[in-house]
Amino acid sequence: MAHRIEVALKPNIRDAQGEKTARRIREDLLLEIQRVAVVEVYTIDAGLSDAELEGLAAGPFSDPIIHYWSVDKPAAHDFDWLIEVGFKPGVTDNAGRTAREAIEFFLDRRLDKEEGVYTSRQYLIKGNQTRRQIETIARDLLANELIQRFIILSWDEFDQENGIQATVPKVIERIEPRVETIDLELDDQGLMELSRRRLLALSLEEMRAIKDYYLRDDVMKRREIAGLAKGPTDVELECIAQTWSEHCKHKIFNAEIKYTDENGERTIDSLFDTYIRGTTKKVRAAVGQEDYCKSVFEDNAGVIKFNDDWDLVFKVETHNSPSALDPYGGALTGIVGVNRDPFGTGKGAKLIFNTDVFCFASPFYNGELPKGLLHPRRILEGVREGVEHGGNKSGIPTVNGSVLFDDRYLGKPLVYCGTGGLLPARLHGEPGWKKDVKPGDRIVMTGGRIGKDGIHGATFSSEELNEGSPATAVQIGDPITQKRMTDFLLRARDENLYRCITDNGAGGLSSSVGETARMSGGADLYLDRPPLKYPGLMPWEIFLSEAQERMTLAVPADKLDRLMDLAKSMEVEATDLGEYNDAGFLRCYFQGDLVAELDMDFLHDGVPKMRIEAVFEPPPRAKPDYQPPKDLADELLVMLGRLNICSKHYWVRQYDHEVQGGSVVKPLVGSRDHGPSDAAVLRPLLDSMEAVVVAHGICPRYSDIDTYDMAANAVDEAVRNAISVGADPARLAALDNFCWCDPIQSKKNPDGKHKLAQLVRACNGVYDVCTTYGIPLISGKDSMKNDAVIEGRRISIPPTLLISLLGKIEDAETAVTMDAKAEGDVVFMLGMTRPELGASEYYAMKGSIGNSIPRVDPEAFFEMYKAFHLAIREGLLASCHDCSDGGLAVALAETALAGDLGMNLDLSGIPQDGITRPEQLLFSESAGRFVVTTHPEKAGRFEELMRGFPVSELGLVTSDRSFNLKGLPLGGGLETTIDDIEKAWKATLDF
Amino acid sequence: MASKVKALVVTGNGVNCEMETAHACRLAGAKVDIVTVYDLMAGRTRLDDYQFLNLAGGFLDGDDLGSAKAGANRWAHAKTLDRGERLLDQLKRFIEADKLVMGVCNGFQLLVKLGILPGLENRIGQTVTLTYNDSGRFEDRWVHLLCDPKSPCIFTRDLGPGIFLPIRHGEGKLVTSGNDVLEQIEQQHLAPLKYSTSDYSKPAMEYPENPNGSQNSIAGMCDSSGRILGLMPHPEAYTHKTNHPRWTRMPDLPKEGMGLKLFRNAVAWLDQA
């Protein structure tokens, strides 16, 4: 029989969780409730005595100072409504797992397989709401029905004597595992129907290729000898679909594209080879001996040299679709998932930082919300919390990030998560970035268990969202299981116990074993061996499950015992799943039967090349039409409060940005730690002053005019950010993460050719700027179907490119922050201002787009950046802040407010070209610009070093709190105070 | 003369500040080993072989049952493979041998939930706890801490009026079982560090100076011997001037971070003992 232990706060103890929930009910749902109290519930499905249950309740499950508890009796009292939220069967319940272990320690015995612990939470609401309103609270705030269940009871309905009956959300699956054979002798319509029904996300051409393969004489003969049916088994077909998915094969980036624009037609054979790999090739050739790339585009993450002993590893991923469905679980999985990329690169890197960039619709969105979509405020809070738990609990500092807003992200929020790692340059006599698999090596899976989590995740993310999206596409990460695993694996790495390590992400074992088996030339895998979370999984589901926290290792046979012992002693599950070989096939067995025999060549190289068309027609734009500003100070204050500019301190502080002890430039800097840093600086080796710089650039608004410039500006913004804190412009490496809307033309996607042309142009922009700046691209990822079709309405995101940068500072003490430092410091403007307000934040405020997009001039900018870096190296700068969203006025205001200092400036001598109006000067987003302050004694030397570049002195930093700009075009000025500036900047997102 | 002090940093199962904690011990002159709780459980390492125990910050078992609750349950009930003794018994033996223990953040939560701090006389079991911040949020924020020069605490000796350190927690609000306990703590000066105003003139109760709503602004707590210290702020996170969030504004900031002083005090005391 199952029992319930309920734990509640004593009446005199402040209920911070309850208050937080009440606040969100009031703010998000506008319901006037009196209060919320929280009760934790543990449902224990195990044969325990009353004394044992009471011991547990008084022991690990409650805190004697603040809690009271009850067993099989309600702890709840004094409420109008009770909502209890628990997980649905099979959903990861981290606290339940911990509770189970706690019971085992407490009782000094193991629970058996059938026994379990499940957590749920009660919210006791005081207020005169109707049942309907309480249901809204449950549905729209407390529970996500995709993964959770809830019950609602009014005080009258509540059984005060016995409380709520214990119910056990256990997976009960009576289906026997079996393997199906699939008949491919179908016509085109039948093939497509099959692809749709099984969620394979394969095109007709791809389905035909599979059919043709299986009907080949030699294949049929071989299968007959092996005792396999003529058609593929479901294990085989699912594995092929997964391996060939857009998510894994990047078919669009590798396609042959016929591209047409105003200059005519040309053919691009693979965007990836031409522009992405092409950039790196060109840059590496140009630098020759100085090449710092170690492993690029080969492994789970890119690897570059840090110093003679250590390399840096970096990867950024997106987790958009899962975050749209379950923001908390999706984002949590996003961050702990990307952790495993650098961890699974080379021999495995120690993880040293996280970054995250989010794109959401406005949290204040009050338009109609299509069915199936969550409100942006809920998505934002869920994603924020998911990344908080994933990052903080893993002990990896979140050092850099952004939050962007545009209502086109209503259909799909973008959740970029990145992780950097530190890898020994040499390990056991070999380069640390190298991995290998030899025939005879054991296939070992470590970490978590397999459930139905995330099945079809890879194929699903290659599809648009719709009302019928499968719930199994959502996983919930478990940072502690992963932390235990990574602690264990770093030890195993240093003991040289494995030859190869890779993660189980999209596609699970089918991908991790399928990929690594290429190195040996085949593998035999036993699908009945992996530990399962619950019974009832089909062999193909075991093969494809994206259950989290798992790494796959290739372990030399003579090291297997030691590896297994070490795993056991560190409470990590490790299982020998089979053997790598060189037979040319990936073979899977289940309960003694051969259930898959996949030809490695066909599996990896059989996907037909995609041939697609791109046509670029510059979108016609009206000339911006707006009322000229009456009061420039008001205009600035409104700009500072806009979602894309305002302070994000609320987010930033909830992430641990300095664990591991090497933080040098934090996300918040300045006199009261409140200014927005341009980039992060950290020392990964605490006994060295060498520092890593982490920066990024992203400007999706510019896609409304031209994605070529959008991409060029994203690269330049990232570079400006990195240089601002002191990174050496000659030692940068970049990651590209494209999030696009469906670029393949079809009846339901009539502007696919245009979106593909936008992709081509963006790649071209990245190539042109990166090759001139000498920045290699070392890794990246694309996510191509960020559309949502809900109730017949198509919502597409603006084409969005995130450029993430790794840089280096030789001496951390030369790093620079963006806050004005002292009264009397001289303020300089560096870079040329042009009337480039096209798709700017200012025009967005005016409801306009315009045409005059900021242009990047890479040759000219790069010369200036190099000279500027010398000035930083000489220690001439007191502060430096890049000009981006909101332009010069915003950059100046942020510099002043971060230093709690005023400014008195004359902008009449500013380097400019074509500026005729004050708002152009103040809010143009021209690229290649910085606001700089220097100590007065160093101003002369700074000007001397920057001679020949557009630079001018604007005035002085002042100790009073006024912020005065004069010398504006048309004779006006701007006068305000830094107090008003700070107020405007902080008010918007003061959650 | 080089120190003979052997420091131990316990990691594993969710601890995540072991590297910088070991670094701080090393800078203070100690020899240091990082071992996992599994090494302790397997009997590969024993606390007895060390003089300075560091329970570093992190999220033991994800803080799933409340901060350090499941971790405390493990220390209190799991038995070592070699001798079958509980880790808690080993820890008590360590403490009785006049050695030093510092628990930071999650390590402080562990000491409190094991009933080791404040370890008041005539009281058995847990008398204080650390629970959710009043804000209901995890926060990373640097705070000013006022030092009590009358405290018996060995770690906080000669710190001057106060120190500046980061807190990084969601459950740092100190709550006592009653006013009598709070009074005993105050009378015996067992709260050597309190959240303070930025001029170190007085303890602060207002957010954000007091970031979590702790009773009597208590940020750190020791036992009456002064040899066991638990604190929510992270001294190991400020060992070099570049850790200071405002170092670029402070040209005269000493190279050595203020947090290191706590480790230096520990090592110096052990060397003299």
Side-chain angles (χ1 to χ4, degrees), chain A residues 340-352:
Chain A
R340 291 193 305 274
D341 280 319
F343 198 82
T345 295
K347 293 283 197 298
K350 180 186 182 306
L351 307 177
I352 58 168

Side-chain angles (χ1 to χ4, degrees), chain A residues 198-201 238 241-243 245-248 317-322 325 333 412 451-465 469-475 505-508 510 540-541 544-548 781 783 785:
Chain A
R198 289 201 70 107
L199 296 168
L200 301 177
E238 292 282 353
Q242 132 65 31
T243 310
S245 68
E246 178 56 42
H247 187 88
C248 296
E317 277 272 12
T318 51
H319 221 227
N320 307 333
S321 301
L325 296 172
T333 308
K412 265 208 194 171
K452 295 198 183 196
D453 326 41
I455 284 174
H456 279 138
T459 49
F460 161 63
S461 73
S462 309
E463 294 269 290
E464 66 206 16
L465 280 184
S469 298
T472 49
V474 176
Q475 318 97 310
S510 76
W540 75 264
E541 290 178 316
L544 264 77
S545 164
E546 299 184 3
Q548 294 291 297
K781 199 83 194 220
S783 164
K785 306 274 165 113

Side-chain angles (χ1 to χ4, degrees), chain A residues 570-638:
Chain A
M570 296 183 76
E571 293 175 17
V572 174
E573 216 157 9
T575 316
D576 179 357
L577 300 185
E579 189 174 82
Y580 289 101
N581 58 37
D582 55 4
F585 295 98
L586 172 57
R587 293 196 181 96
C588 299
Y589 298 86
F590 190 79
Q591 294 173 349
D593 295 330
L594 179 68
V595 297
E597 184 177 77
L598 290 150
D599 180 335
M600 297 289 290
D601 294 335
F602 177 69
L603 179 63
H604 292 292
D605 304 321
V607 60
K609 198 177 185 79
M610 203 182 258
R611 286 181 177 78
I612 37 183
E613 263 185 82
V615 178
F616 185 70
E617 282 166 15
R621 294 283 170 221
K623 262 181 96 92
D625 178 21
Y626 61 88
Q627 286 291 314
K630 286 197 190 78
D631 183 327
L632 290 167
D634 281 353
E635 205 85 339
L636 171 61
L637 296 179
V638 175

Side-chain angles (χ1 to χ4, degrees), chain A residues 76-311:
Chain A
H77 63 95
D78 188 23
F79 60 82
D80 293 313
W81 292 98
L82 176 155
I83 303 172
E84 182 167 317
V85 181
F87 291 108
K88 285 188 169 169
V91 175
T92 305
D93 180 355
N94 291 328
R97 181 195 38 69
T98 301
R100 181 194 173 99
E101 288 175 4
I103 293 175
E104 293 181 334
F105 280 123
F106 188 81
L107 301 178
D108 198 18
R109 70 174 156 90
R110 308 286 293 191
L111 296 186
D112 81 37
K113 222 171 60 191
E114 292 300 310
E115 295 176 314
V117 186
Y118 306 86
T119 61
S120 51
R121 181 176 260 195
Q122 283 178 359
Y123 299 89
L124 310 177
I125 296 172
K126 199 82 177 139
N128 57 355
Q129 273 66 40
T130 62
R131 178 175 292 274
R132 229 189 143 80
Q133 287 171 320
I134 296 298
E135 278 172 4
T136 303
I137 294 173
R139 256 193 205 105
D140 293 354
L141 186 70
L142 301 178
N144 182 344
E145 287 175 279
L146 206 54
I147 53 167
Q148 288 166 317
R149 66 206 154 88
F150 61 82
I151 51 170
I152 292 174
L153 293 173
S154 69
W155 175 249
D156 292 336
E157 293 162 337
F158 182 64
D159 180 344
Q160 293 179 45
E161 188 59 33
N162 302 304
I164 294 169
Q165 281 292 309
T167 51
V168 177
K170 190 167 160 181
V171 177
I172 299 164
E173 201 59 88
R174 290 178 216 290
I175 310 165
E176 279 302 304
R178 64 193 147 75
V179 174
E180 250 182 82
T181 300
I182 289 140
D183 180 9
L184 284 184
E185 288 181 80
L186 302 167
D187 60 11
D188 287 354
Q189 204 189 335
L191 287 172
M192 281 319 285
E193 171 53 30
L194 176 66
S195 170
R196 259 192 301 274
R197 184 164 42 84
R198 289 201 70 107
L199 296 168
L200 301 177
L202 292 173
S203 69
L204 178 60
E205 212 189 344
E206 289 156 356
M207 287 301 289
R208 278 188 195 147
I210 298 170
K211 174 181 166 182
D212 293 348
Y213 172 80
Y214 275 90
L215 293 178
R216 255 165 51 189
D217 285 344
D218 57 327
V219 173
M220 287 201 289
K221 201 166 286 168
R222 171 170 58 75
R223 292 180 67 81
E224 203 183 326
I225 294 166
L228 285 161
K230 193 162 139 197
T233 64
D234 54 4
V235 180
E236 292 174 320
L237 185 62
E238 292 282 353
C239 179
I240 294 168
Q242 132 65 31
T243 310
W244 290 10
S245 68
E246 178 56 42
H247 187 88
C248 296
K249 268 279 178 254
H250 308 286
K251 291 178 283 198
I252 293 168
F253 257 85
N254 286 305
E256 185 181 296
I257 296 172
K258 198 173 91 186
Y259 172 76
T260 314
D261 64 11
E262 63 270 33
N263 300 318
E265 186 187 301
R266 63 194 166 101
T267 301
I268 300 154
D269 186 9
S270 170
L271 285 171
F272 180 68
D273 286 341
T274 310
Y275 293 119
I276 308 297
R277 208 197 294 265
T279 295
T280 309
K281 214 170 135 185
K282 189 167 170 189
V283 169
R284 292 182 77 175
V287 293
Q289 290 288 309
E290 299 292 303
D291 182 15
Y292 44 90
C293 293
K294 293 277 187 94
S295 167
V296 289
F297 307 120
E298 297 290 327
D299 210 328
N300 291 315
V303 185
I304 60 167
K305 177 180 171 170
F306 181 57
N307 61 24
D308 288 344
D309 300 323
W310 297 93
D311 293 338

Side-chain angles (χ1 to χ4, degrees), chain A residues 519-541:
Chain A
M519 285 184 264
S520 64
D524 284 348
L525 182 72
Y526 296 84
L527 291 175
D528 45 10
R529 291 189 188 169
L532 303 181
K533 293 182 180 178
Y534 39 81
L537 269 74
M538 296 294 139
W540 75 264
E541 290 178 316

Side-chain angles (χ1 to χ4, degrees), chain A residues 62-63 98 484 658 817 819, chain B residues 13 64 69 129 140 248-249:
Chain A
S62 73
D63 184 323
T98 301
R484 285 180 185 167
E658 49 197 321
T817 56
D819 46 313
Chain B
N13 198 34
D64 284 335
K69 275 297 290 181
T129 198
D140 181 335
T248 56
R249 311 178 63 77

Side-chain angles (χ1 to χ4, degrees), chain A residues 94 111 197 257 311 344 361 395 400 410 414 420 656 658 775 822 876 948 955 991:
Chain A
N94 291 328
L111 296 186
R197 184 164 42 84
I257 296 172
D311 293 338
N400 185 242
L410 191 66
L414 303 186
D656 186 334
E658 49 197 321
I775 302 174
L876 302 179
F991 286 170

